[in-house]
Amino acid sequence: MNDGYKYKNGKVIVSEYNADNANVREEKEREYQDNIEEILIAENMIEYFKELRKEVKEDIDRKKSSINAEKISMYICAIPAIFANACIGGGISATLKFCLNLGGLLSMISLDNIEQIAFLISTSGTVVYYINRIIKPTMENIQSLKKQINISEFTLKTINDEIEKQKELVKKLNRDKRKDNEQSLVYDSQYKWTSDYIRLDYVDQIDNIEENIWGLVDVEEERIKQEQSSKVLTKKMVKSKK
């Protein structure tokens, strides 16, 4: 990131610092032009929003990994459900055989039919339990994560648009090579403030742009909510007509 600059021997000396460690600094020499400060600030904007874009991308990747983990967990939970179903089915089958034997009806029903009935009873109970306790919560979590990903992807697009906007600005500024103010700068540097350092002030600009980005994201999130509410209402109306 560009921290600031000073004029020396007809050149602009730019002080750059490491975004991860502000104490790590490096000075680079650049050609003077009247809008050098605007260029340096625009370059900082690009770097800042690239870092923000990286964070959003990492967040999307984490959410996608969470979706895969949810799916795997749902499948793994099916294993004990299947085992429990087999045990329950065996218990029901044994109970039915015992009851029928007491009633003297065991000989009238084949063992295969008894086992099929026991399997149907146990399976229906297990399926209902598995759906309500495992599948439904998991699918709700997955749907919630997908919604969050959609919002994050919109955020990513908005950030990319801002980065491209700043890149275009840098190109435009770089084409303007005017040096109308150089002589006054030379005079000042020689006779008034030989080593004065100009620190870049761009925090408010970043805050304003970020505020605009998150405002657009909030609008998009509300739009998605309204769209989903409309779909739910439509489904309810269709069902009520039936």
Side-chain angles (χ1 to χ4, degrees):
M1 298 282 280
N2 301 314
D3 178 72
Y5 65 98
K6 60 184 177 181
Y7 186 81
K8 185 178 180 182
N9 300 327
K11 299 290 184 180
V12 173
I13 310 301
V14 180
S15 176
E16 299 180 356
Y17 67 91
N18 190 307
D20 297 324
N21 185 355
N23 292 322
V24 178
R25 303 229 166 196
E26 183 180 357
E27 288 191 342
K28 290 187 178 179
E29 187 178 276
R30 298 175 67 157
E31 293 294 326
Y32 171 82
Q33 56 191 90
D34 289 345
N35 56 16
I36 185 65
E37 188 165 322
E38 294 176 74
I39 292 172
L40 296 175
I41 289 174
E43 288 174 351
N44 277 2
M45 294 289 187
I46 292 170
E47 190 169 346
Y48 178 86
F49 285 106
K50 278 185 176 180
E51 282 299 313
L52 184 59
R53 179 176 64 183
K54 180 182 175 183
E55 291 175 12
V56 174
K57 281 183 177 179
E58 288 173 350
D59 183 60
I60 290 172
D61 290 339
R62 282 194 297 269
K63 287 183 172 67
K64 287 181 177 180
S65 296
S66 294
I67 287 175
N68 291 332
E70 290 278 357
K71 289 179 179 179
I72 292 170
S73 176
M74 183 171 64
Y75 297 141
I76 290 174
C77 288
I79 296 172
I82 292 170
F83 178 76
N85 182 62
C87 294
I88 293 169
I92 292 173
S93 177
T95 302
L96 286 174
K97 289 175 184 177
F98 178 75
C99 293
L100 290 171
N101 188 44
L102 286 178
L105 301 173
L106 186 60
S107 59
M108 298 173 62
I109 303 174
S110 70
L111 293 177
D112 287 342
N113 287 338
I114 293 172
E115 290 175 356
Q116 287 175 3
I117 292 169
F119 177 77
L120 288 173
I121 294 171
S122 65
T123 299
S124 60
T126 304
V127 167
V128 170
Y129 176 86
Y130 184 66
I131 289 174
N132 290 330
R133 297 297 298 272
I134 305 297
I135 293 180
K136 279 187 177 180
T138 300
M139 294 309 297
E140 286 173 1
N141 290 340
I142 289 174
Q143 287 304 315
S144 175
L145 287 166
K146 284 182 176 180
K147 290 175 188 175
Q148 292 172 40
I149 288 172
N150 288 337
I151 295 297
S152 294
E153 286 178 342
F154 177 83
T155 305
L156 199 61
K157 177 184 176 301
T158 309
I159 292 171
N160 280 330
D161 290 344
E162 182 59 37
I163 291 172
E164 290 305 313
K165 179 181 173 182
Q166 294 296 331
K167 283 182 177 179
E168 287 301 315
L169 177 60
V170 169
K171 287 180 183 178
K172 180 182 176 181
L173 292 170
N174 276 324
R175 286 194 294 267
D176 185 357
K177 303 292 185 181
R178 284 179 295 176
K179 299 183 179 183
D180 299 340
N181 301 326
E182 186 175 19
Q183 289 306 312
S184 62
L185 188 62
V186 171
Y187 176 82
D188 286 344
S189 66
Q190 287 179 347
Y191 300 103
K192 293 183 181 179
W193 40 269
T194 308
S195 59
D196 270 13
Y197 179 76
I198 301 172
R199 189 178 298 277
L200 299 174
D201 183 8
Y202 55 92
V203 175
D204 287 343
Q205 284 182 250
I206 284 181
D207 287 343
N208 290 335
I209 293 172
E210 272 203 273
E211 186 177 346
N212 182 56
I213 288 173
W214 298 124
L216 292 172
V217 171
D218 288 341
V219 170
E220 177 66 10
E221 190 170 6
E222 185 61 30
R223 185 194 69 79
I224 290 174
K225 285 181 181 178
Q226 293 293 336
E227 188 179 86
Q228 290 171 343
S229 297
S230 178
K231 287 180 181 179
V232 171
L233 182 60
T234 302
K235 286 181 181 179
K236 287 182 178 178
M237 291 175 65
V238 170
K239 286 182 179 179
S240 63
K241 287 179 180 180
K242 291 181 179 179

